[in-house]
Amino acid sequence: PPEVDGYQFIGWSGDFSMVTADLTIQATYELLPEIILYHITFIGMNGEELGLAEVEAGMELKADQVPAAPVIEGFEFAGWDIATEGLIVNSDLTITAQYTAIVKTFAVTFMGMNDETLAVVQVPEGTEIAAEAIPVPPEVEGYHFVQWDEELGAITEDTIIKAMYEDDYPAF
């Protein structure tokens, strides 16, 4: 039978297995259900379009329809603002990539008078060491703590800070 757009052939209008006279038989068709397609637009961190997917109404978005999120220096991809795994689509959607800033940290090592490690503190770049993270210098017999040998300002690199002591009994 000929194909008819929007219709599906379902059979013939009569039985023609035992034809004994002229017979008119017609192909019968039924209307195909309307297929509704929804569009899913994937948007990047800076508003750029990363991809477009078409999904039939009521169907699941497939993993291969989800574009890879671009790698952005200083940021880590955290996922999409709408979970894509197992997503059943029933409308047009815009799904946006979500990122978190990668915070660079530096190690600040506090050393005692005899080069022993008192504490190692991880400090986010450009910030100051929290007061509660600064160790109490140990007591050293015959000496008293004076200060740390480095300023405790904004940290921009791995840093070693030594405790400075003075002799309690200086030689005259």
Side-chain angles (χ1 to χ4, degrees):
E3 289 187 18
V4 179
D5 285 341
Y7 291 86
Q8 178 179 340
F9 173 73
I10 58 168
W12 298 101
S13 63
D15 181 14
F16 53 90
S17 60
M18 301 266 299
V19 177
T20 58
D22 288 345
L23 184 62
T24 301
I25 301 288
Q26 294 182 331
T28 56
Y29 297 87
E30 70 180 5
L31 184 63
L32 288 172
E34 182 180 353
I35 295 175
I36 299 171
L37 292 177
Y38 289 113
H39 298 93
I40 301 172
T41 306
F42 293 91
I43 302 295
M45 181 173 140
N46 298 314
E48 74 280 13
E49 185 176 302
L50 301 176
L52 184 66
E54 282 189 340
V55 180
E56 190 175 325
M59 299 303 289
E60 185 175 332
L61 175 68
K62 294 180 176 66
D64 65 355
Q65 292 178 292
V66 178
V71 174
I72 300 173
E73 188 174 337
F75 293 89
E76 181 176 33
F77 177 66
W80 300 99
D81 66 340
I82 297 173
T84 58
E85 189 174 328
L87 178 63
I88 303 299
V89 179
N90 287 305
S91 66
D92 290 335
L93 295 171
T94 298
I95 300 177
T96 304
Q98 303 294 296
Y99 289 85
T100 54
I102 296 171
V103 178
K104 189 172 186 178
T105 61
F106 293 105
V108 176
T109 305
F110 288 91
M111 306 292 285
M113 180 175 164
N114 298 311
D115 291 332
E116 72 277 15
T117 300
L118 303 176
V120 178
V121 179
Q122 294 295 321
V123 180
E125 181 177 25
T127 63
E128 294 187 9
I129 303 165
E132 62 272 8
I134 299 170
V136 174
E139 291 184 19
V140 177
E141 189 174 327
Y143 294 88
H144 63 273
F145 174 76
V146 177
Q147 67 184 33
W148 298 104
D149 72 341
E150 296 281 338
E151 290 292 322
L152 301 178
I155 302 300
T156 58
E157 62 186 351
D158 289 337
T159 306
I160 296 175
I161 299 176
K162 274 189 88 166
M164 296 179 63
Y165 290 83
E166 284 185 353
D167 191 338
D168 287 338
Y169 310 102
F172 291 99

